[in-house]
Amino acid sequence: ANSTGRAEVLCALFYFLGFVIYAQTTTARRHSIFVPFVCVMICTFASMLCKEHGITLPIMCIIWDAYLHTQTSLSEGFFLLFQKNNQTNTMTTKESSYSSRRKKVCCYFWVRTALFVLAVGGLALWRWNKNGNSEPDFVCEQNPAACQTNGWTRFINYSYLWSFNFYIILMPEGA
């Protein structure tokens, strides 16, 4: 039995479950911050317990939120966040309503982003503490390329692995 394969499948399950929950709750037109945040952080924690790269789930949610849900760029989001409300004198009622709605969406986005950054920082510190406040130890029998002292040998080994995996993606029957 391949226990590494099971860990990757569980990590992917929690990762996609958290992303789908976040996508569904943020597009529901209810500007709740608490429910999507808690759901994503539970799934992030479960995903991170399976594999360390599960901690990137909130980053994926922020990227999705910025470009698909709020439909704004980062510069426009900053502009809307710090825009004064006295500019509505020259706008019509419809434009003013649209502008205030956009500002509200961007403000909720920045609050969610700040919460995610703080929570991911906390999870990363917790994980670092559980690791004994040190980098992971590599076992040379499991990863001989990582233990090579010659940088050129490591480069050739890793380049081969990337090339071979890319080939498998393009030609799955040929491998």
PDB file of all heavy atoms in Angstrom, residues 38-57:
ATOM      1  N   VAL A  38     -14.245  30.336   8.188  1.00  0.00           N
ATOM      2  CA  VAL A  38     -14.139  29.173   9.074  1.00  0.00           C
ATOM      3  C   VAL A  38     -14.089  27.880   8.267  1.00  0.00           C
ATOM      4  O   VAL A  38     -13.264  26.999   8.541  1.00  0.00           O
ATOM      5  CB  VAL A  38     -15.302  29.157  10.093  1.00  0.00           C
ATOM      6  CG1 VAL A  38     -15.357  27.845  10.844  1.00  0.00           C
ATOM      7  CG2 VAL A  38     -15.172  30.315  11.053  1.00  0.00           C
ATOM      8  N   CYS A  39     -14.943  27.765   7.254  1.00  0.00           N
ATOM      9  CA  CYS A  39     -14.949  26.546   6.433  1.00  0.00           C
ATOM     10  C   CYS A  39     -13.613  26.343   5.722  1.00  0.00           C
ATOM     11  O   CYS A  39     -13.083  25.229   5.701  1.00  0.00           O
ATOM     12  CB  CYS A  39     -16.079  26.606   5.411  1.00  0.00           C
ATOM     13  SG  CYS A  39     -17.717  26.492   6.131  1.00  0.00           S
ATOM     14  N   VAL A  40     -13.090  27.404   5.148  1.00  0.00           N
ATOM     15  CA  VAL A  40     -11.814  27.293   4.433  1.00  0.00           C
ATOM     16  C   VAL A  40     -10.687  26.968   5.401  1.00  0.00           C
ATOM     17  O   VAL A  40      -9.813  26.152   5.093  1.00  0.00           O
ATOM     18  CB  VAL A  40     -11.516  28.583   3.631  1.00  0.00           C
ATOM     19  CG1 VAL A  40     -10.092  28.614   3.135  1.00  0.00           C
ATOM     20  CG2 VAL A  40     -12.472  28.693   2.465  1.00  0.00           C
ATOM     21  N   MET A  41     -10.680  27.558   6.568  1.00  0.00           N
ATOM     22  CA  MET A  41      -9.593  27.298   7.503  1.00  0.00           C
ATOM     23  C   MET A  41      -9.661  25.877   8.076  1.00  0.00           C
ATOM     24  O   MET A  41      -8.620  25.260   8.312  1.00  0.00           O
ATOM     25  CB  MET A  41      -9.573  28.336   8.621  1.00  0.00           C
ATOM     26  CG  MET A  41      -9.180  29.720   8.141  1.00  0.00           C
ATOM     27  SD  MET A  41      -7.803  29.790   6.965  1.00  0.00           S
ATOM     28  CE  MET A  41      -6.469  29.133   7.908  1.00  0.00           C
ATOM     29  N   ILE A  42     -10.864  25.329   8.257  1.00  0.00           N
ATOM     30  CA  ILE A  42     -10.978  23.927   8.692  1.00  0.00           C
ATOM     31  C   ILE A  42     -10.439  23.012   7.606  1.00  0.00           C
ATOM     32  O   ILE A  42      -9.660  22.090   7.879  1.00  0.00           O
ATOM     33  CB  ILE A  42     -12.441  23.586   9.059  1.00  0.00           C
ATOM     34  CG1 ILE A  42     -12.832  24.274  10.363  1.00  0.00           C
ATOM     35  CG2 ILE A  42     -12.640  22.072   9.179  1.00  0.00           C
ATOM     36  CD1 ILE A  42     -14.303  24.175  10.691  1.00  0.00           C
ATOM     37  N   CYS A  43     -10.830  23.270   6.354  1.00  0.00           N
ATOM     38  CA  CYS A  43     -10.336  22.456   5.241  1.00  0.00           C
ATOM     39  C   CYS A  43      -8.834  22.657   5.030  1.00  0.00           C
ATOM     40  O   CYS A  43      -8.122  21.715   4.678  1.00  0.00           O
ATOM     41  CB  CYS A  43     -11.110  22.770   3.968  1.00  0.00           C
ATOM     42  SG  CYS A  43     -12.802  22.165   3.991  1.00  0.00           S
ATOM     43  N   THR A  44      -8.339  23.870   5.242  1.00  0.00           N
ATOM     44  CA  THR A  44      -6.906  24.131   5.117  1.00  0.00           C
ATOM     45  C   THR A  44      -6.138  23.348   6.179  1.00  0.00           C
ATOM     46  O   THR A  44      -5.101  22.739   5.881  1.00  0.00           O
ATOM     47  CB  THR A  44      -6.607  25.638   5.262  1.00  0.00           C
ATOM     48  OG1 THR A  44      -7.284  26.339   4.233  1.00  0.00           O
ATOM     49  CG2 THR A  44      -5.127  25.916   5.179  1.00  0.00           C
ATOM     50  N   PHE A  45      -6.636  23.361   7.386  1.00  0.00           N
ATOM     51  CA  PHE A  45      -5.975  22.628   8.467  1.00  0.00           C
ATOM     52  C   PHE A  45      -5.962  21.131   8.170  1.00  0.00           C
ATOM     53  O   PHE A  45      -4.922  20.470   8.315  1.00  0.00           O
ATOM     54  CB  PHE A  45      -6.675  22.917   9.801  1.00  0.00           C
ATOM     55  CG  PHE A  45      -6.026  22.261  10.969  1.00  0.00           C
ATOM     56  CD1 PHE A  45      -4.798  22.709  11.441  1.00  0.00           C
ATOM     57  CD2 PHE A  45      -6.637  21.199  11.609  1.00  0.00           C
ATOM     58  CE1 PHE A  45      -4.185  22.102  12.525  1.00  0.00           C
ATOM     59  CE2 PHE A  45      -6.038  20.586  12.698  1.00  0.00           C
ATOM     60  CZ  PHE A  45      -4.809  21.028  13.161  1.00  0.00           C
ATOM     61  N   ALA A  46      -7.093  20.585   7.739  1.00  0.00           N
ATOM     62  CA  ALA A  46      -7.159  19.161   7.423  1.00  0.00           C
ATOM     63  C   ALA A  46      -6.246  18.820   6.241  1.00  0.00           C
ATOM     64  O   ALA A  46      -5.551  17.802   6.257  1.00  0.00           O
ATOM     65  CB  ALA A  46      -8.602  18.759   7.114  1.00  0.00           C
ATOM     66  N   SER A  47      -6.247  19.677   5.239  1.00  0.00           N
ATOM     67  CA  SER A  47      -5.389  19.464   4.074  1.00  0.00           C
ATOM     68  C   SER A  47      -3.916  19.558   4.453  1.00  0.00           C
ATOM     69  O   SER A  47      -3.084  18.780   3.986  1.00  0.00           O
ATOM     70  CB  SER A  47      -5.742  20.494   2.995  1.00  0.00           C
ATOM     71  OG  SER A  47      -4.971  20.310   1.850  1.00  0.00           O
ATOM     72  N   MET A  48      -3.579  20.506   5.320  1.00  0.00           N
ATOM     73  CA  MET A  48      -2.192  20.680   5.756  1.00  0.00           C
ATOM     74  C   MET A  48      -1.729  19.512   6.618  1.00  0.00           C
ATOM     75  O   MET A  48      -0.551  19.157   6.601  1.00  0.00           O
ATOM     76  CB  MET A  48      -2.046  21.987   6.514  1.00  0.00           C
ATOM     77  CG  MET A  48      -0.613  22.333   6.844  1.00  0.00           C
ATOM     78  SD  MET A  48      -0.477  23.778   7.886  1.00  0.00           S
ATOM     79  CE  MET A  48      -1.089  23.159   9.426  1.00  0.00           C
ATOM     80  N   LEU A  49      -2.631  18.901   7.368  1.00  0.00           N
ATOM     81  CA  LEU A  49      -2.247  17.731   8.153  1.00  0.00           C
ATOM     82  C   LEU A  49      -1.898  16.551   7.251  1.00  0.00           C
ATOM     83  O   LEU A  49      -1.095  15.701   7.629  1.00  0.00           O
ATOM     84  CB  LEU A  49      -3.361  17.342   9.131  1.00  0.00           C
ATOM     85  CG  LEU A  49      -3.563  18.265  10.318  1.00  0.00           C
ATOM     86  CD1 LEU A  49      -4.739  17.779  11.151  1.00  0.00           C
ATOM     87  CD2 LEU A  49      -2.311  18.368  11.158  1.00  0.00           C
ATOM     88  N   CYS A  50      -2.502  16.502   6.066  1.00  0.00           N
ATOM     89  CA  CYS A  50      -2.184  15.432   5.122  1.00  0.00           C
ATOM     90  C   CYS A  50      -0.879  15.704   4.379  1.00  0.00           C
ATOM     91  O   CYS A  50      -0.015  14.842   4.297  1.00  0.00           O
ATOM     92  CB  CYS A  50      -3.322  15.263   4.116  1.00  0.00           C
ATOM     93  SG  CYS A  50      -4.877  14.803   4.880  1.00  0.00           S
ATOM     94  N   LYS A  51      -0.758  16.885   3.806  1.00  0.00           N
ATOM     95  CA  LYS A  51       0.451  17.306   3.084  1.00  0.00           C
ATOM     96  C   LYS A  51       0.661  18.788   3.366  1.00  0.00           C
ATOM     97  O   LYS A  51      -0.292  19.552   3.455  1.00  0.00           O
ATOM     98  CB  LYS A  51       0.304  17.109   1.570  1.00  0.00           C
ATOM     99  CG  LYS A  51       0.156  15.687   1.100  1.00  0.00           C
ATOM    100  CD  LYS A  51       1.401  14.892   1.276  1.00  0.00           C
ATOM    101  CE  LYS A  51       2.285  15.041   0.057  1.00  0.00           C
ATOM    102  NZ  LYS A  51       3.449  14.177   0.105  1.00  0.00           N
ATOM    103  N   GLU A  52       1.917  19.193   3.444  1.00  0.00           N
ATOM    104  CA  GLU A  52       2.221  20.566   3.842  1.00  0.00           C
ATOM    105  C   GLU A  52       1.729  21.606   2.854  1.00  0.00           C
ATOM    106  O   GLU A  52       1.404  22.722   3.220  1.00  0.00           O
ATOM    107  CB  GLU A  52       3.731  20.736   4.056  1.00  0.00           C
ATOM    108  CG  GLU A  52       4.245  20.117   5.322  1.00  0.00           C
ATOM    109  CD  GLU A  52       4.489  18.627   5.191  1.00  0.00           C
ATOM    110  OE1 GLU A  52       4.378  18.085   4.073  1.00  0.00           O
ATOM    111  OE2 GLU A  52       4.773  17.992   6.224  1.00  0.00           O
ATOM    112  N   HIS A  53       1.670  21.262   1.573  1.00  0.00           N
ATOM    113  CA  HIS A  53       1.248  22.273   0.599  1.00  0.00           C
ATOM    114  C   HIS A  53      -0.243  22.565   0.650  1.00  0.00           C
ATOM    115  O   HIS A  53      -0.725  23.443  -0.064  1.00  0.00           O
ATOM    116  CB  HIS A  53       1.688  21.881  -0.819  1.00  0.00           C
ATOM    117  CG  HIS A  53       1.068  20.611  -1.317  1.00  0.00           C
ATOM    118  ND1 HIS A  53       1.668  19.392  -1.158  1.00  0.00           N
ATOM    119  CD2 HIS A  53      -0.091  20.382  -1.948  1.00  0.00           C
ATOM    120  CE1 HIS A  53       0.904  18.461  -1.689  1.00  0.00           C
ATOM    121  NE2 HIS A  53      -0.174  19.034  -2.166  1.00  0.00           N
ATOM    122  N   GLY A  54      -0.969  21.908   1.527  1.00  0.00           N
ATOM    123  CA  GLY A  54      -2.379  22.225   1.723  1.00  0.00           C
ATOM    124  C   GLY A  54      -2.606  23.613   2.307  1.00  0.00           C
ATOM    125  O   GLY A  54      -3.700  24.159   2.213  1.00  0.00           O
ATOM    126  N   ILE A  55      -1.543  24.204   2.844  1.00  0.00           N
ATOM    127  CA  ILE A  55      -1.659  25.548   3.429  1.00  0.00           C
ATOM    128  C   ILE A  55      -1.872  26.614   2.359  1.00  0.00           C
ATOM    129  O   ILE A  55      -2.233  27.743   2.670  1.00  0.00           O
ATOM    130  CB  ILE A  55      -0.420  25.865   4.300  1.00  0.00           C
ATOM    131  CG1 ILE A  55      -0.751  26.971   5.296  1.00  0.00           C
ATOM    132  CG2 ILE A  55       0.775  26.222   3.446  1.00  0.00           C
ATOM    133  CD1 ILE A  55       0.277  27.121   6.385  1.00  0.00           C
ATOM    134  N   THR A  56      -1.727  26.266   1.097  1.00  0.00           N
ATOM    135  CA  THR A  56      -1.916  27.247   0.019  1.00  0.00           C
ATOM    136  C   THR A  56      -3.384  27.436  -0.367  1.00  0.00           C
ATOM    137  O   THR A  56      -3.678  28.269  -1.225  1.00  0.00           O
ATOM    138  CB  THR A  56      -1.120  26.845  -1.234  1.00  0.00           C
ATOM    139  OG1 THR A  56      -1.594  25.579  -1.706  1.00  0.00           O
ATOM    140  CG2 THR A  56       0.363  26.774  -0.939  1.00  0.00           C
ATOM    141  N   LEU A  57      -4.296  26.717   0.239  1.00  0.00           N
ATOM    142  CA  LEU A  57      -5.723  26.864  -0.074  1.00  0.00           C
ATOM    143  C   LEU A  57      -6.228  28.295   0.094  1.00  0.00           C
ATOM    144  O   LEU A  57      -6.890  28.815  -0.809  1.00  0.00           O
ATOM    145  CB  LEU A  57      -6.562  25.885   0.746  1.00  0.00           C
ATOM    146  CG  LEU A  57      -8.072  26.043   0.673  1.00  0.00           C
ATOM    147  CD1 LEU A  57      -8.571  25.883  -0.748  1.00  0.00           C
ATOM    148  CD2 LEU A  57      -8.760  25.058   1.599  1.00  0.00           C
TER     149      LEU A  57
END
